[in-house]
Amino acid sequence: MSKIFRFVATYVALAIGAAGIVVVLYAWNLPPFHGSVETTNDAYVRGQVTILSPQLAGYLTEVPVQDYQRVRRGDLIARIDDRIYAQKLEQAKAALATALASLSNSEQSRKSAEAKIQSAKAAIESANAAFDAARTADDRTRSLLEKNIAPQSDAEKTRAAFNQAQAAVHQAEAAELVAEQDLNTIVVSRKSLEANVESARAAVKLAEIDLANTRITAPQDGTLGEVAGRVGQYVSVGTQIGSIVPAQVWVVANFKETQLSGMAAGQKVTLTVDALGHERFAGRIERFAPATGSEFSVIKADNATGNFTKVAQRIPVRIAIEPQQKLIDRLVPGMSVVASVDIAQEDMARSVALEHRRIN
């Protein structure tokens, strides 16, 4: 009887052991139970976490937000004391007004120089007229002198008047050249004044930008992380005063390289989120990383060693989450995810398409 009992117990133990091995093989998706579904628990929800930092230095005078508060684009996150920057703006505006006044003065100087040129031209015409009259009188007197009709003294007087009229013409022409040079000087200096005006306008714009940057606002809609800024705190350029996380999220699943042979962009993915009671979400493969995760590490492994052991590498896969799903608004970056891809779905879709073409 004991032999029979031992015989039965042995077979029961063997059966239980075999069943255990079968369960393990099935649970781990190993042959002969290896199916078409590839799964990884090395997956996480990802999002764009934007660090909020000031572009100016100063004391915080207002921080109207709190940790984990939802904000919209343009909402005030913190304000820096703007008194210095407001005065710098007024100073820049005064410098611009001075530059504009200098430019206006240059315009008046240009008009005055042009008027002087016209006056010099009129003086030249008057001098030429006087010169013609003096030359005519000199010619007539010389002719009368040759005929012994006019005395020598009259000839000398008309000759002196002729020389004086000729000198007056030269003087008027020289005055015109001086007026033209004055105009050229004003025109050249005007370009410098115009450059000063543009520089002053740029300084006003920079001062306006600095004044606007005293208000640190939300760059987009989202939810704030921990707000580190405090009223009265001195901050400098790049000081982290908080962060904002937009609503758009996705999943990055790190599949082993041995799991990727049947995967392609557009395939459906089943996502299970641990933090939401293993709630299932639907997604689609968007794209694959251009290299394995180890290639992006700071310290890369050197496989050129004598004791090399081959290890399957993992390649990040970006997965888009389908919109308008239950509890999708509760997904936040960093959550752990289990991603499953049925690599046979592409073959099934191709078979259905071929069958549809054959029927039609």
Side-chain angles (χ1 to χ4, degrees), residues 22 157 216 320 345 357:
V22 170
K157 290 179 181 179
I216 304 170
Q345 61 184 284
R357 290 179 183 176

Side-chain angles (χ1 to χ4, degrees), residues 52-128:
L52 301 176
S53 301
Q55 299 185 46
L56 304 171
Y59 289 95
L60 294 180
T61 59
E62 184 181 0
V63 183
V65 295
Q66 298 177 351
D67 299 344
Y68 318 135
Q69 177 180 333
R70 293 190 64 85
V71 294
R72 300 185 65 83
R73 180 178 181 180
D75 288 350
L76 180 65
I77 306 299
R79 187 193 303 272
I80 298 175
D81 186 3
D82 61 355
R83 292 175 298 174
I84 295 176
Y85 300 101
Q87 292 303 315
K88 286 184 177 180
L89 176 59
E90 294 301 323
Q91 186 179 24
K93 288 181 178 179
L96 175 60
T98 301
L100 289 173
S102 298
L103 185 62
S104 298
N105 186 37
S106 174
E107 179 65 17
Q108 294 299 323
S109 298
R110 183 186 66 81
K111 292 180 180 180
S112 177
E114 290 177 348
K116 287 181 179 180
I117 292 176
Q118 296 300 324
S119 176
K121 288 181 178 179
I124 291 175
E125 293 178 358
S126 176
N128 284 329

Side-chain angles (χ1 to χ4, degrees), residues 171-228:
Q171 184 178 7
E173 291 176 347
E176 182 187 17
L177 290 176
V178 171
E180 289 177 351
Q181 292 301 318
D182 290 342
L183 177 60
N184 292 333
T185 301
I186 293 173
V187 171
V188 172
S189 63
R190 179 180 176 81
K191 294 181 179 180
S192 176
L193 294 175
E194 289 175 348
N196 291 338
V197 170
E198 293 302 321
S199 177
R201 283 176 177 164
V204 170
K205 290 293 184 182
L206 290 174
E208 290 175 347
I209 292 173
D210 286 342
L211 183 60
N213 285 337
T214 59
R215 300 180 72 259
I216 304 170
T217 59
Q220 56 186 327
D221 299 349
T223 304
L224 293 176
E226 182 179 354
V227 179

